[in-house]
Amino acid sequence: MKSRINECGHTMLEIISILGFLGAFSAGIVHVISTMYDKYKVSRVSQQIEEIRKSISNRYMAAGSFVGLTISGLIQDGAVPADMVAGDNELRHAFMGDVSVRGYFNRYTVTFSNLPLEACVELAMIDWTMGDSSDLINL
């Protein structure tokens, strides 16, 4: 007489397929979160640019000249977002690249260096009102 042993369990193939599915699912989740975080950083850079633009325009427009515009002066005046300040005379944007500001007689420039290509494309598509109708020359 043969005895029947009830074998309940998973085969190695089933376990490997489950682990493969979990791995693929995890990779997808990581990709989605990474993409959302990059979009957040692009949005934050856009906000930082707008905050700097407004602060500079409000502080220097009445004087009629942007010649005295310095990063250290903007930091001392509290005219830049706190998350950008990296030192007494240094600003960094959300992607951790350097930010420089330069004033001229009736215009100024704001330069964000080391931005990823995707961030540059996103920022270039925003209407920043530059040119003759604005005090911001280029970005």
Side-chain angles (χ1 to χ4, degrees):
M1 184 166 181
K2 288 187 177 179
S3 137
R4 282 190 129 189
I5 299 174
N6 189 4
E7 294 182 25
C8 290
H10 300 288
T11 64
M12 183 65 97
L13 187 58
E14 289 172 330
I15 291 173
I16 289 173
S17 64
I18 288 172
L19 290 176
F21 173 75
L22 290 175
F25 183 73
S26 298
I29 293 294
V30 167
H31 177 71
V32 167
I33 290 172
S34 175
T35 302
M36 288 173 51
Y37 186 63
D38 286 345
K39 287 192 180 292
Y40 162 75
K41 288 197 290 187
V42 168
S43 173
R44 184 63 196 135
V45 166
S46 173
Q47 290 171 352
Q48 290 171 338
I49 292 169
E50 190 61 29
E51 288 177 38
I52 288 174
R53 189 187 69 76
K54 285 180 182 177
S55 295
I56 291 172
S57 295
N58 290 340
R59 293 190 191 297
Y60 290 90
M61 187 65 78
S65 174
F66 297 97
V67 173
L69 181 63
T70 62
I71 289 176
S72 59
L74 291 172
I75 292 171
Q76 288 174 354
D77 292 345
V80 292
D83 64 340
M84 291 184 72
V85 178
D88 292 338
N89 199 21
E90 273 186 76
L91 296 177
R92 291 218 185 343
H93 55 73
F95 288 97
M96 302 313 289
D98 292 331
V99 177
S100 62
V101 180
R102 179 152 183 172
Y104 302 97
F105 176 67
N106 62 349
R107 306 283 175 146
Y108 64 93
T109 59
V110 177
T111 306
F112 280 52
S113 61
N114 298 328
L115 284 171
L117 180 62
E118 295 83 18
C120 290
V121 170
E122 292 278 333
L123 293 169
M125 293 183 351
I126 297 173
D127 180 21
W128 292 104
T129 334
M130 293 182 289
D132 294 335
S133 64
S134 173
D135 51 1
L136 181 61
I137 297 172
N138 63 36
L139 185 62

